[in-house]
Amino acid sequence: MTDEKRISLDTTYRQLLDQVFYMDDIESIEPILDAEFTCYGTAFDEKLQGFTQMRDMLMRQKQQSVGFHFDCTTDPMKHFVSEDGNTAVFSDDIYLHIRSTSETIEVYVRATSVFLHRPDGWKIVSWHVSKPENVSSQDDTYGIDDWKKRNADLEILVAKRTADLVEKNRELENALEQLKATQTQLVQSEKMASLGELTAGIAHEIQNPLNFVNNFSDVSIELLDEMDAEIEKGDTDEAKAISSDIKQNLEKIAYHGRRADSIVKGMLQHSRASTGQKELTDINVLVDEYLRLAYHGLRATDQSFNAELITHFDENLPKANILPQDIGRVLLNLFTNAFYATQQRAKSKEQEYYPTVEVLTRIQGDSIEIFVKDNGIGIPDEIREKVLQPFFTTKPTGEGTGLGLSLSYDIVVKAHGGTIRIDSKEGEFTLFSVLLPIT
């Protein structure tokens, strides 16, 4: 066989594969089909004769394959050419890749083509493609319908699972919103609980300036009567002296009135939500105020309780940029716990035991450190790591929310970038160290 004749044979075979698998120009297959052309297709009942039936099969295949892209590779098994060069039989393994937008499947077929050389060139007289297992009829070319059905089933399953996930996500969002609402309620509950602890201390604290206001008011009224009498006598010098005393009394009344006002404002600040605005605050003043309020608050509920308060305040302490009402809550919680621990130990009637709470402030690098130490019942080693966890409390039911120290941790560590450390020995002492950045 001449090279030209061999090239013509290969070209004819390539045209057959292009039209059967790519279906670009179906009509162009007619010139390479012999008048006696027969075909056994991929389906069991697919038997074709002549160009018309072959074209109809290719048209069905093209319509069924809309939205898919075809690509194929051939692996020759045996290519036979007769001695006279006029007959050829090609047997190939063909791997057909069918791609959609979502996935690719590979179909394996075995094709046998018989060629005869006619006066006008090579013609295909017979073509046979072995049937893939998932092809059910001649209307289902290469099993695409079965693949489409599987894809449709998969899409339905994916849609169902997506809907389930959306519903579960919605349920989780609702649960999260409920959790946030519950958390807000619990935080507010803890604030109100600490406010209740403050109330007794505030009542004691506010009583002192109110007593001064009342006493100086009564004295001023008496002085006014005396001043009127001196004026009637014509003793203006004595009247002026009495007037000076009244003025001093009024100044004291104004001072103690402002003191009572600041106590009330402090209580209101403690009860409301934080503004989120940090302020330069004198830590020593804040610590001293909440220490006294916590102590008098406990004494209001247990008048037999007494404790020694020891303070070591660094006089050179700079003001710190903090949220004062939030740090006030932290201090109140630490002081209340300290007094509670000493109160519980005092109930054991130990000899020579006297409740003591010691508070120290100092500069530590670029931070301010606050120590709160008590000689109470202490914290057992096995629960020391748990005391900062939400809802963990060693107090009897109804006496603690279990949120005080966890909220204190959030305020110091998360809101202020500080630290809280705990040191304790059961039956002897507990020491809390709070480190707050100055800026």
Side-chain angles (χ1 to χ4, degrees):
M1 182 188 292
T2 64
D3 291 343
E4 182 180 356
K5 195 172 183 180
R6 180 67 197 206
I7 292 172
S8 177
L9 174 61
D10 291 341
T11 301
T12 300
Y13 183 50
R14 186 70 254 173
Q15 287 178 319
L16 172 66
L17 296 180
D18 286 347
Q19 294 311 313
V20 170
F21 295 118
Y22 294 100
M23 301 161 285
D24 292 333
D25 184 9
I26 294 174
E27 297 294 335
S28 66
I29 199 175
E30 183 177 10
I32 64 173
L33 297 183
D34 193 77
E36 302 298 325
F37 171 78
T38 59
C39 170
Y40 294 93
T42 56
F44 179 76
D45 59 350
E46 196 169 29
K47 301 174 184 178
L48 310 173
Q49 288 186 329
F51 165 71
T52 301
Q53 291 185 0
M54 183 65 172
R55 179 191 60 194
D56 293 343
M57 185 275 290
L58 292 176
M59 290 298 295
R60 289 196 305 273
Q61 177 175 296
K62 187 171 184 177
Q63 291 171 358
Q64 187 189 26
S65 304
V66 172
F68 296 89
H69 178 74
F70 286 73
D71 189 18
C72 70
T73 57
T74 59
D75 184 10
M77 288 181 57
K78 184 176 182 180
H79 285 192
F80 168 78
V81 180
S82 63
E83 291 184 3
D84 62 5
N86 293 323
T87 304
V89 179
F90 286 5
S91 293
D92 293 331
D93 285 335
I94 299 176
Y95 299 92
L96 185 63
H97 307 280
I98 307 174
R99 297 196 298 272
S100 69
T101 56
S102 58
E103 63 175 321
T104 299
I105 63 170
E106 184 177 274
V107 176
Y108 162 73
V109 297
R110 178 164 291 173
T112 300
S113 309
V114 180
F115 303 86
L116 290 178
H117 191 265
R118 302 297 193 187
D120 56 345
W122 288 100
K123 302 293 182 180
I124 303 167
V125 296
S126 177
W127 192 65
H128 176 249
V129 181
S130 59
K131 175 180 73 67
E133 293 180 358
N134 59 339
V135 177
S136 58
S137 72
Q138 67 174 359
D139 293 326
D140 185 10
T141 305
Y142 304 125
I144 291 178
D145 280 348
D146 180 72
W147 184 36
K148 286 180 177 178
K149 182 178 183 304
R150 286 188 288 113
N151 276 349
D153 292 342
L154 182 61
E155 288 177 1
I156 292 173
L157 179 62
V158 170
K160 183 178 182 303
R161 290 184 178 176
T162 300
D164 291 342
L165 288 174
V166 169
E167 180 61 28
K168 288 180 180 178
N169 187 55
R170 187 179 296 111
E171 291 174 359
L172 287 173
E173 288 178 351
N174 291 336
L176 180 60
E177 289 301 319
Q178 292 176 3
L179 182 61
K180 288 180 179 178
T182 302
Q183 184 183 35
T184 301
Q185 292 173 357
L186 289 172
V187 170
Q188 188 61 28
S189 174
E190 170 61 23
K191 290 178 181 178
M192 296 310 295
S194 63
L195 181 61
E197 295 169 351
L198 269 180
T199 301
I202 288 173
H204 180 277
E205 284 294 299
I206 207 171
Q207 190 62 50
N208 287 332
L210 288 178
N211 286 339
F212 277 110
V213 169
N214 292 333
N215 291 337
F216 282 117
S217 295
D218 292 339
V219 171
S220 296
I221 291 173
E222 294 176 0
L223 289 174
L224 285 172
D225 291 337
E226 291 179 13
M227 186 175 67
D228 288 341
E230 295 300 328
I231 291 175
E232 289 180 1
K233 293 178 183 179
D235 191 345
T236 57
D237 290 337
E238 184 63 24
K240 288 180 179 179
I242 295 174
S243 174
S244 176
D245 291 341
I246 293 174
K247 183 178 180 181
Q248 292 177 7
N249 287 352
L250 291 175
E251 289 175 351
K252 292 177 181 179
I253 289 172
Y255 170 78
H256 289 289
R258 286 191 295 270
R259 172 61 184 152
D261 180 64
S262 68
I263 293 172
V264 172
K265 286 181 178 178
M267 179 179 67
L268 293 175
Q269 281 187 338
H270 184 85
S271 64
R272 68 169 61 102
S274 172
T275 62
Q277 296 294 325
K278 293 183 177 180
E279 303 173 15
L280 287 175
T281 304
D282 189 325
I283 294 295
N284 287 339
V285 172
L286 196 68
V287 170
D288 183 63
E289 181 176 354
Y290 277 93
L291 177 63
R292 288 185 290 103
L293 290 176
Y295 179 59
H296 291 305
L298 183 56
R299 276 184 47 80
T301 58
D302 182 3
Q303 294 183 0
S304 65
F305 176 76
N306 285 288
E308 182 181 5
L309 306 183
I310 302 175
T311 58
H312 302 282
F313 294 155
D314 188 341
E315 295 180 356
N316 299 318
L317 210 64
K319 289 186 177 181
N321 195 30
I322 62 170
L323 301 168
Q325 59 267 51
D326 285 356
I327 296 300
R329 292 189 183 103
V330 173
L331 294 171
L332 178 66
N333 187 269
L334 296 181
F335 296 147
T336 301
N337 286 346
F339 288 128
Y340 178 84
T342 58
Q343 182 190 41
Q344 295 303 111
R345 185 175 176 183
K347 291 179 180 179
S348 65
K349 307 297 183 182
E350 292 182 36
Q351 291 184 354
E352 299 182 358
Y353 172 72
Y354 192 79
T356 302
V357 173
E358 185 175 357
V359 183
L360 177 146
T361 62
R362 69 178 185 181
I363 298 176
Q364 186 72 8
D366 57 356
S367 300
I368 292 176
E369 194 163 20
I370 306 168
F371 292 94
V372 180
K373 183 178 181 180
D374 67 77
N375 64 344
I377 56 177
I379 303 173
D381 292 341
E382 60 270 19
I383 67 171
R384 190 181 306 165
E385 299 299 324
K386 300 179 181 179
V387 297
L388 295 177
Q389 296 177 4
F391 306 111
F392 182 85
T393 180
T394 58
K395 295 180 181 179
T397 303
E399 291 191 23
T401 63
L403 288 172
L405 285 176
S406 67
L407 286 177
S408 297
Y409 178 86
D410 287 345
I411 290 171
V412 172
V413 177
K414 297 180 181 180
H416 289 80
T419 61
I420 292 183
R421 291 186 293 108
I422 307 172
D423 187 19
S424 183
K425 186 173 183 180
E426 189 175 6
E428 293 190 16
F429 74 92
T430 297
L431 171 65
F432 279 87
S433 170
V434 177
L435 197 66
L436 294 172
I438 295 175
T439 56

